[in-house]
Amino acid sequence: MNACDSDRGHMHTPDMGDPEGETLPEESEVFEVDEQISEKIQELKNGTVREAVLAAEFLFARAHTSHHKAEENKQQIRREGAISHLCRLLTETSIEARYQACSALSELAFRNERNCI
């Protein structure tokens, strides 16, 4: 089994993690949560700089258009609050940290208006 084939865990409702409580038309259904994405977002929020860099790289891969669940992953990543933490990573002195954060943010924004800040 590879990282893309992991079991999905619990379910989320559309407004979880949305500070405005808005439910947009295509988000009106319940969606599955990818536990690996949730774990990486926690590492991005609470880990060392190196862990955050690796988490950003992982989130980029899950948000990339080549991933079969890219749109669902982008929604989950936004709903779980990763975007502000990726923006924080842009302020690190490490070139690798800024590169991975920028890559993840650009992929999250690509063809996804909700993820643009």
Side-chain angles (χ1 to χ4, degrees), residues 22-34:
E22 296 176 6
T23 302
L24 298 168
E26 62 266 20
E27 293 185 339
S28 61
E29 58 190 67
V30 174
F31 68 97
E32 293 184 51
V33 172
D34 182 321

Side-chain angles (χ1 to χ4, degrees), residues 71-113:
E71 290 309 311
E72 294 92 339
N73 293 343
K74 287 180 182 186
Q75 289 179 27
Q76 179 182 347
I77 291 166
R78 176 180 45 81
R79 287 183 177 128
E80 291 188 20
I83 293 174
S84 63
H85 295 282
L86 288 166
C87 289
R88 179 185 48 81
L89 199 55
L90 291 172
T91 66
E92 290 292 333
T93 56
S94 161
I95 292 171
E96 179 72 8
R98 294 191 313 249
Y99 174 82
Q100 294 299 340
C102 186
S103 296
L105 287 166
S106 71
E107 196 60 43
L108 286 166
F110 183 70
R111 294 186 178 174
N112 192 308
E113 211 172 288

Side-chain angles (χ1 to χ4, degrees), residues 50-86:
R50 183 68 187 144
E51 289 169 332
V53 167
L54 294 172
E57 184 176 22
F58 176 88
L59 296 175
F60 165 80
R62 287 298 176 94
H64 194 272
T65 55
S66 65
H67 192 280
H68 70 283
K69 296 196 71 132
E71 290 309 311
E72 294 92 339
N73 293 343
K74 287 180 182 186
Q75 289 179 27
Q76 179 182 347
I77 291 166
R78 176 180 45 81
R79 287 183 177 128
E80 291 188 20
I83 293 174
S84 63
H85 295 282
L86 288 166

Side-chain angles (χ1 to χ4, degrees), residues 1-10 33-44 54-55 58-59 62 67 73 76-77 80:
M1 175 182 344
N2 66 37
C4 297
D5 296 327
S6 70
D7 291 329
R8 267 89 173 131
H10 56 281
V33 172
D34 182 321
E35 292 298 334
Q36 288 183 318
I37 289 175
S38 295
E39 289 170 13
K40 293 301 179 181
I41 291 171
Q42 287 307 308
E43 290 175 18
L44 178 67
L54 294 172
F58 176 88
L59 296 175
R62 287 298 176 94
H67 192 280
N73 293 343
Q76 179 182 347
I77 291 166
E80 291 188 20

